[in-house]
Amino acid sequence: MTDTGSLSLFQQQEANRRRTTWLVVGFVLFFAWLGFGGDWILAQYREHPFPWLGIVLSTMGAGLAAYAYRSGPEKVLWATGAQELLAPATDDERRLVNVVEEMAIAAALPRPRIWVVPDDDPNAFATGIDPARSHVTVTRGLLAVTNRDELQAVVAHEMGHIKNLDVRLMTTLAALVGAVALMQDGMGRLLRGSGGRILGGVSGGRGGGRKGGAGPLIPILLVLWIISWLVAPLVAQLLALAVSRKREYLADASGAQFTRNPLALASALQKIEAAHEPTKKITRGAAHLCIADPLGRRLTSREGFLAEAFATHPPMAMRVARLKGMGYAALKREGTLPKDPAAELRG
């Protein structure tokens, strides 16, 4: 796999465009498998001349993918209860607007729309389809606990996601995760409403299938088809988490580049990590968009297999250590290294 840290900005953007395209294609193909696979299984047991299930689900998958791509940012903002900041009324709100404008200039981007989530847990995320239609969102808690340099560093991190087109990929993922969960819920309701007649009719129909040559294969495909419905939300969620973890390190580096102050981002991340309450307004479907795990810090405070597989973000200690290493190197170049750099890095 290509190391994302070795790619140029334009290569990063092109890679994210490709990933978004393949994500949508895979989503549609998955729905086609569920539909036409169901048609084939039904055809082994009863008259089923027209593949209506495949056509309906494939069309639905394509429609959901298009809708998710087009309306994903608005759905994410709606789901988190974010309120657009149009007329800043407090010092914290005015500071936020100033910081976003400064970081947009530093990143050479159009100024994104600014939103605030009414939640006391410190966090932030960016969403959008492209830099011209992007949004930066912070919680009330973040405004309360960060100083100006730290808030600037967090906003710069989110600008990094926008500039690299991470927001397109991760917002589409967030919308598709929700669509898969919705489809699973609909199929579950259909099966429960049928009282088991659908599966019962298939498993007990016509002596194991009308087409004798396919008989032994039918139960296997039936099991795979059912498992696909059951595990689809989990697979989609794990895919979202894996994509997010790989993008956070790059966004940290981009944010440090825009502010030239990696220690400020390290300090902000430590404050965010120190908050024990989860971000109640941000649900699991949008968790991978945030700068820190909004569901609690149990996994991102650890390293190992479970953290790598199920955490929304890479271990916070590793992110902070990398940023402090960058800050240490910058201070050394400037000749302003403290007398005890080890203590500085620990702090």
Side-chain angles (χ1 to χ4, degrees):
M1 181 179 293
T2 303
D3 180 6
T4 57
S6 65
L7 300 180
S8 70
L9 170 64
F10 297 110
Q11 289 173 320
Q12 288 286 349
Q13 292 176 336
E14 183 58 33
N16 279 334
R17 289 190 184 94
R18 287 196 304 271
R19 291 188 183 103
T20 304
T21 299
W22 282 113
L23 174 67
V24 171
V25 169
F27 180 81
V28 175
L29 289 177
F30 175 73
F31 273 78
W33 146 246
L34 292 176
F36 289 108
D39 284 323
W40 187 85
I41 292 170
L42 287 173
Q44 308 310 307
Y45 292 94
R46 59 187 67 183
E47 293 298 329
H48 188 68
F50 187 74
W52 59 268
L53 187 60
I55 293 174
V56 168
L57 284 185
S58 297
T59 302
M60 187 176 296
L64 283 173
Y67 180 73
Y69 181 84
R70 191 170 56 251
S71 66
E74 288 74 20
K75 295 302 181 185
V76 168
L77 293 166
W78 173 82
T80 61
Q83 301 164 357
E84 188 167 10
L85 185 56
L86 297 174
T90 67
D91 289 341
D92 283 344
E93 291 175 349
R94 285 187 284 270
R95 179 178 54 139
L96 174 62
V97 171
N98 290 338
V99 162
V100 172
E101 290 174 347
E102 290 171 0
M103 290 300 96
I105 293 172
L109 293 172
R111 200 205 85 163
R113 293 167 66 181
I114 305 170
W115 302 73
V116 177
V117 175
D119 196 297
D120 292 334
D121 187 58
N123 223 318
F125 66 87
T127 185
I129 298 302
D130 54 44
R133 294 171 289 177
S134 60
H135 312 262
V136 167
T137 306
V138 305
T139 63
R140 291 282 178 195
L142 185 76
L143 295 178
V145 303
T146 55
N147 60 36
R148 195 180 197 285
D149 286 347
E150 292 164 345
L151 179 63
Q152 187 181 64
V154 171
V155 170
H157 169 101
E158 301 306 334
M159 288 293 184
H161 280 310
I162 294 172
K163 194 172 185 71
N164 297 327
L165 291 184
D166 293 339
V167 289
R168 172 184 293 181
L169 176 62
M170 296 196 294
T171 300
T172 304
L173 260 175
L176 294 185
V177 166
V180 169
L182 181 65
M183 287 300 299
Q184 187 207 36
D185 182 63
M187 177 54 69
R189 289 174 185 271
L190 177 63
L191 293 177
R192 289 193 298 271
S194 71
R197 290 190 299 274
I198 294 177
L199 294 180
V202 171
S203 61
R206 301 203 182 187
R210 290 190 296 109
K211 301 177 182 179
L217 185 61
I218 295 173
I220 297 174
L221 289 178
L222 178 59
V223 170
L224 290 175
W225 188 77
I226 295 173
I227 290 175
S228 297
W229 278 108
L230 295 176
V231 305
L234 176 62
V235 171
Q237 186 67 43
L238 291 178
L239 177 60
L241 301 187
V243 168
S244 174
R245 288 194 299 269
K246 293 177 180 178
R247 312 313 300 165
E248 289 307 311
Y249 287 126
L250 180 61
D252 285 346
S254 297
Q257 178 185 8
F258 298 151
T259 62
R260 301 185 183 277
N261 189 0
L263 294 179
L265 182 54
S267 177
L269 291 178
Q270 287 178 311
K271 287 184 176 180
I272 292 171
E273 186 72 1
H276 298 295
E277 291 294 323
T279 313
K280 298 180 179 65
K281 294 285 186 178
I282 300 178
T283 59
R284 185 171 298 277
H288 62 284
L289 292 169
C290 296
I291 193 171
D293 179 8
L295 308 174
R297 323 291 194 230
R298 293 186 299 275
L299 287 176
T300 48
S301 63
R302 294 180 170 86
E303 300 179 32
F305 172 76
L306 287 178
E308 286 296 318
F310 296 103
T312 59
H313 294 70
M316 190 63 81
M318 292 181 62
R319 295 173 65 185
V320 170
R322 290 189 181 196
L323 289 164
K324 287 188 173 182
M326 293 168 60
Y328 170 83
L331 292 174
K332 186 176 181 180
R333 287 195 302 269
E334 296 169 1
T336 57
L337 193 66
K339 293 181 180 180
D340 187 359
E344 181 73 18
L345 290 177
R346 287 194 302 271

